[in-house]
Amino acid sequence: MTDSLLPRRALMRYGAYGAGAAALAGVAAGWDRLTGADIPGRDDGSLVIATLGSAFNPEAQRALRDGFREAHPDIRIRINPVQAYDWSDFFSKILTQIAAGTAPDLVYVATEGVQLFAQRLGVPLDRWARRDAAELRTYFADVHPSLVESMMYEGSLYQLPVEFNAADMYLNTRVLARTGADLPDDDWTHDDFTTLLRAMKRSNGDRFTPYFWTNRLWGGVVPWLFANGTNLLTESKAPGGDWLWNAFYPEAQRRGRGGGYRWTTPLADSDRVAEVYDYLSSLVQEDLCTRPEGGDGRNLVGVFSTGRVGVTPAGGFWAGGLHQAGMKPADYDVRYFPRRRTRRHQFGAAGYAMLRTSKLRDEAWEFIKYTARKDVMTQLFAANQTTPARRSMVDEARYRETGPAHWQVFYDTLDKIPTTGPIPAPPQVNEVEQLLIKHTGTALSSPGAVRPALRRLQGDLEQAMEREV
């Protein structure tokens, strides 16, 4: 999910889940060896839910557990917060548990792992969603269809999204004041962005970094690719999904929807991708932003809150993090990501995935429905550590104390920019991201390095996408 002290996600970083992913072949071949008796807590019939340990504080975890027990006293529940450095480490530990025969029933999975889990490990929720359509109608009416579509795979629904974060742009207003610049308007461009960074550089000290970005799949190069009308991989829609769209969304909102995203042929050697890398290279050469190897997001809240960084991409989760760091709502604000050819934004979402090894599938579905309730999400996200998937929860009351002033941007990124979509995360996402990180570092290391690095990235991505997970 999200950690309010980190940028949205330190996702899949540096190959940490490689060992777990390598075990998948054995797992897929040995489902029959994994029984309820193998899973800790199953001797008492408990429904076991694995969450990222940093996703909820202990009070929120207790509230989730106790609230579900009160609503379903006949279902025993055990929430296992898995302590992990990031999503990569988390997935590695879950996959290792599955390979060892100690799988949970439900796993909290972000966009980065949706297709991996759906393809090899997950159970489609279609039959339960159809059965309980009347009960779910208010949920879907409150959740943007793009979030739902990002949780689908090859025509089936695998998760109910409960949170998301789009890559909008945060600005330190104290830095803007020192610079003498106004807050950009909604329709600012990448040229406006460059002009602002140069003004910030002139008016602040040597240790100041105008633009801080992290070299990863979410919030790194990809939002600039989206803004330039391209992507890392060719994007299309899987067929199917009409059963969901016709049941829950009016015609205007279901138009153009499909059965989930497909990401296929790499585009790394295309001209539009090269344009993005040339632009980022120019920012690096002018010392207007962090270098790829210098974008360690673990200290980002600190450097932003103390005025050593002027601008950085982040989602609604950062409102809670900056509040905890002592920033006042007037100390920062948020705007859309700067447009280039398009205004398209990227997002990542998350929800609970049901595993095939579970013998308590009906009980697991009841938990999934419970976590999608508005009263439950309101309690869980009280610290503003993420953007709720429910539109009605993103309101003035939520941001009155934690800011920012233009909080409407968070959900407007979906509502007012219909092309906004999920980060490219095929089942081979781990290798895709590692290659992106590696070759982006090389491409921006020196003038003239962009196109040779992108050609190597293209070749490596082609090989990665041909491999089965």
Side-chain angles (χ1 to χ4, degrees), residues 435 438-439 456-465 467:
L435 291 171
K438 171 186 173 182
H439 291 293
R456 289 191 292 271
L457 174 59
Q458 176 73 15
D460 287 349
L461 284 175
E462 288 173 352
Q463 294 182 36
M465 294 300 293
R467 284 191 280 271

Side-chain angles (χ1 to χ4, degrees), residues 24-105:
L24 278 175
V27 174
W31 291 119
D32 58 332
R33 295 195 299 272
L34 307 183
T35 67
D38 296 320
I39 301 173
R42 282 304 180 83
D43 54 344
D44 65 359
S46 293
L47 179 73
V48 181
I49 300 102
T51 65
L52 183 62
S54 59
F56 301 115
N57 59 38
E59 292 76 15
Q61 292 176 22
R62 282 193 294 271
L64 180 60
R65 179 195 62 210
D66 296 346
F68 182 77
R69 286 174 175 171
E70 183 177 351
H72 297 277
D74 57 325
I75 302 176
R76 294 185 179 183
I77 183 175
R78 176 174 299 184
I79 297 178
N80 288 344
V82 177
Q83 299 307 315
Y85 172 69
D86 54 22
W87 279 109
S88 170
D89 190 25
F90 175 70
F91 289 153
S92 174
K93 291 178 178 179
I94 296 299
L95 294 172
T96 300
Q97 288 179 22
I98 294 170
T102 58
D105 297 283

Side-chain angles (χ1 to χ4, degrees), residues 59-368:
E59 292 76 15
Q61 292 176 22
R62 282 193 294 271
L64 180 60
R65 179 195 62 210
D66 296 346
F68 182 77
R69 286 174 175 171
E70 183 177 351
H72 297 277
D74 57 325
I75 302 176
R76 294 185 179 183
I77 183 175
R78 176 174 299 184
I79 297 178
N80 288 344
V82 177
Q83 299 307 315
Y85 172 69
D86 54 22
W87 279 109
S88 170
D89 190 25
F90 175 70
F91 289 153
S92 174
K93 291 178 178 179
I94 296 299
L95 294 172
T96 300
Q97 288 179 22
I98 294 170
T102 58
D105 297 283
L106 291 164
V107 179
Y108 200 74
V109 177
T111 298
E112 292 79 1
V114 166
Q115 294 200 1
L116 168 68
F117 275 77
Q119 184 188 75
R120 292 291 187 178
L121 309 169
V123 177
L125 306 179
D126 303 6
R127 69 180 180 91
W128 290 285
R130 283 188 171 108
R131 184 194 70 187
D132 297 341
E135 186 179 352
L136 292 171
R137 209 166 300 283
T138 56
Y139 165 81
F140 285 110
D142 204 17
V143 175
H144 197 282
S146 290
L147 301 180
V148 175
E149 194 171 26
S150 75
M151 301 279 103
M152 300 179 75
Y153 182 67
E154 296 301 321
S156 289
L157 177 68
Y158 282 85
Q159 298 168 228
L160 294 183
V162 297
E163 61 142 319
F164 81 100
N165 284 286
D168 297 303
M169 198 70 83
Y170 276 71
L171 300 98
N172 187 310
T173 54
R174 290 177 291 183
V175 172
L176 288 175
R178 290 200 301 264
T179 304
D182 295 325
L183 191 71
D185 61 28
D186 282 346
D187 200 36
W188 66 324
T189 69
H190 83 287
D191 288 332
D192 298 326
F193 180 75
T194 307
T195 299
L196 178 61
L197 297 189
R198 288 170 177 160
M200 286 182 172
K201 187 67 176 179
R202 289 193 300 268
S203 58
N204 291 273
D206 292 338
R207 298 184 62 191
F208 176 80
T209 301
Y211 177 48
F212 193 111
W213 64 287
T214 50
N215 183 17
R216 61 186 188 206
L217 196 58
W218 192 98
V221 173
V222 175
W224 291 107
L225 296 177
F226 277 32
N228 203 36
T230 188
N231 205 332
L232 187 63
L233 304 170
T234 301
E235 179 184 304
S236 63
K237 301 281 185 73
D242 289 346
W243 66 270
L244 187 150
W245 305 121
N246 293 339
F248 297 112
Y249 287 94
E251 182 179 357
Q253 293 187 42
R254 65 177 182 253
R255 190 177 300 122
R257 302 292 171 186
Y261 285 81
R262 285 175 174 170
W263 293 285
T264 53
T265 308
L267 300 170
D269 61 352
S270 68
D271 289 341
R272 288 196 179 185
V273 171
E275 286 176 355
V276 167
Y277 275 84
D278 285 339
Y279 174 64
L280 291 175
S281 178
S282 71
L283 297 184
V284 170
Q285 299 308 315
E286 286 191 59
D287 199 24
L288 298 178
C289 69
T290 49
R291 302 180 69 87
E293 64 274 13
D296 186 343
R298 286 176 293 180
N299 66 341
L300 179 51
V301 168
V303 296
F304 185 87
S305 63
T306 55
R308 287 177 285 163
V309 164
V311 187
T312 192
F317 72 94
W318 233 35
L322 296 179
H323 177 70
Q324 290 182 3
M327 293 195 80
K328 306 295 184 185
D331 293 339
Y332 63 96
D333 212 336
V334 65
R335 278 291 189 240
Y336 294 126
F337 203 88
R339 66 174 174 85
R340 192 164 183 172
R341 283 187 168 88
T342 77
R343 293 181 66 193
R344 191 186 195 206
H345 284 52
Q346 58 155 56
F347 69 78
Y352 289 92
M354 186 189 305
L355 298 193
R356 297 176 196 173
T357 47
S358 175
K359 305 300 182 183
L360 300 172
R361 295 186 181 184
D362 287 330
E363 293 84 350
W365 169 246
E366 292 303 321
F367 183 85
I368 290 172

